[in-house]
Amino acid sequence: DVKVTQSSRYLVKRTGEKVFLECVQDMDHENMFWYRQDPGLGLRLIYFSYDVKMKEKGDIPEGYSVSREKKERFSLILESASTNQTSMYLCASSTPGQGVYIQYFGAGTRLSVL
Amino acid sequence: EDQVTQSPEALRLQEGESSSLNCSYTVSGLRGLFWYRQDPGKGPEFLFTLYSAGEEKEKERLKATLTKKESFLHITAPKPEDSATYLCAVQDNNDMRFGAGTRLTVKP
């Protein structure tokens, strides 16, 4: 079974703090993704990475950065947390299969910024 | 712009009352349509991939179908443990778009 592990289930941070969300996958997948999920808005892509040290902006990259130093690990960084970044953050990984990308998700990190 | 719309937003059923969830989409070139189940406080769990119109997939009480404009997730004789949010996602070339989900509640 594919396993995607997010380092924290719940986080509470203060405005202006630098926040690190970590994600590790154990299936040697090339692609990794960070989404945020808000009620009524569905999943919105923040960043994705298709290889080590490679990254691409998603739909809502402002206020975020990412790091992928190793294939199995993809980190999301909130440079200076703000209250509007309070959300559920989901990490996913995938490998291309016949050109179709099935994404497998971690359990999520619920971040509250006070 | 690619769009994925799920309806209804929420659905309440009695145990054993069959129904369907809808996912309509507008994309320029469908590569695959995905259904996920998400339990409260957890990440989405992959259920099905559909690749082309006319295709069907089944898993226990769930059956997913696909046309050129929409997909249905049919739930036959649901049980309370089927209560969850069901997400639809569409891959268009390299982009993946998710719908907002349908929150299903099945009462005993």
Side-chain angles (χ1 to χ4, degrees):
Chain A
D1 279 354
V2 176
K3 190 160 186 182
V4 180
T5 303
Q6 294 184 230
S7 55
S8 304
R9 292 300 306 277
Y10 302 95
L11 275 179
V12 180
K13 297 292 181 181
R14 297 219 172 263
T15 302
E17 279 192 77
K18 191 169 186 176
V19 181
F20 293 86
L21 303 183
E22 306 284 342
C23 176
V24 177
Q25 52 95 1
D26 66 356
M27 285 301 293
D28 201 35
H29 283 171
E30 291 89 352
N31 303 329
M32 296 189 74
F33 308 82
W34 276 106
Y35 292 90
R36 65 178 283 177
Q37 184 177 32
D38 300 289
L41 295 179
L43 274 71
R44 292 181 291 167
L45 182 64
I46 304 171
Y47 269 96
F48 69 97
S49 169
Y50 54 88
D51 202 351
V52 175
K53 297 190 185 295
M54 306 302 288
K55 60 186 179 183
E56 294 284 343
K57 292 180 180 179
D59 297 321
I60 52 165
E62 296 78 18
Y64 303 94
S65 62
V66 291
S67 173
R68 193 164 181 203
E69 296 296 321
K70 294 184 178 182
K71 191 174 185 180
E72 68 270 18
R73 187 179 298 269
F74 193 32
S75 302
L76 180 69
I77 303 152
L78 286 65
E79 296 292 341
S80 177
S82 63
T83 55
N84 62 12
Q85 292 178 311
T86 291
S87 186
M88 172 72 130
Y89 289 87
L90 291 164
C91 174
S93 72
S94 77
T95 189
Q98 300 176 345
V100 175
Y101 303 82
I102 298 171
Q103 295 188 12
Y104 298 90
F105 287 85
T109 296
R110 186 163 294 282
L111 173 67
S112 296
V113 182
L114 305 178
Chain B
E1 183 180 314
D2 296 346
Q3 296 253 9
V4 182
T5 304
Q6 291 189 246
S7 61
E9 289 185 17
L11 181 63
R12 296 169 67 93
L13 300 173
Q14 288 298 127
E15 185 172 1
E17 180 187 2
S18 301
S19 188
S20 297
L21 283 56
N22 178 262
C23 172
S24 63
Y25 61 90
T26 54
V27 295
S28 56
L30 180 71
R31 301 294 296 275
L33 184 141
F34 308 84
W35 282 99
Y36 288 85
R37 170 192 170 124
Q38 186 175 21
D39 292 301
K42 296 187 177 180
E45 176 187 345
F46 172 72
L47 293 173
F48 304 110
T49 306
L50 301 167
Y51 297 95
S52 58
E55 189 174 2
E56 298 181 352
K57 293 270 180 77
E58 284 190 67
K59 181 179 181 180
E60 296 180 355
R61 294 175 292 282
L62 301 177
K63 179 180 176 181
T65 61
L66 181 64
T67 72
K68 288 187 177 180
K69 294 293 183 187
E70 59 191 349
S71 176
F72 291 94
L73 185 65
H74 307 277
I75 303 177
T76 302
K79 298 182 177 181
E81 53 262 42
D82 294 322
S83 296
T85 296
Y86 291 86
L87 300 175
C88 167
V90 171
Q91 182 185 337
D92 171 15
N93 297 319
N94 290 319
D95 292 332
M96 184 83 81
R97 291 275 177 249
F98 282 83
T102 292
R103 187 174 66 254
L104 174 67
T105 304
V106 181
K107 295 286 194 180

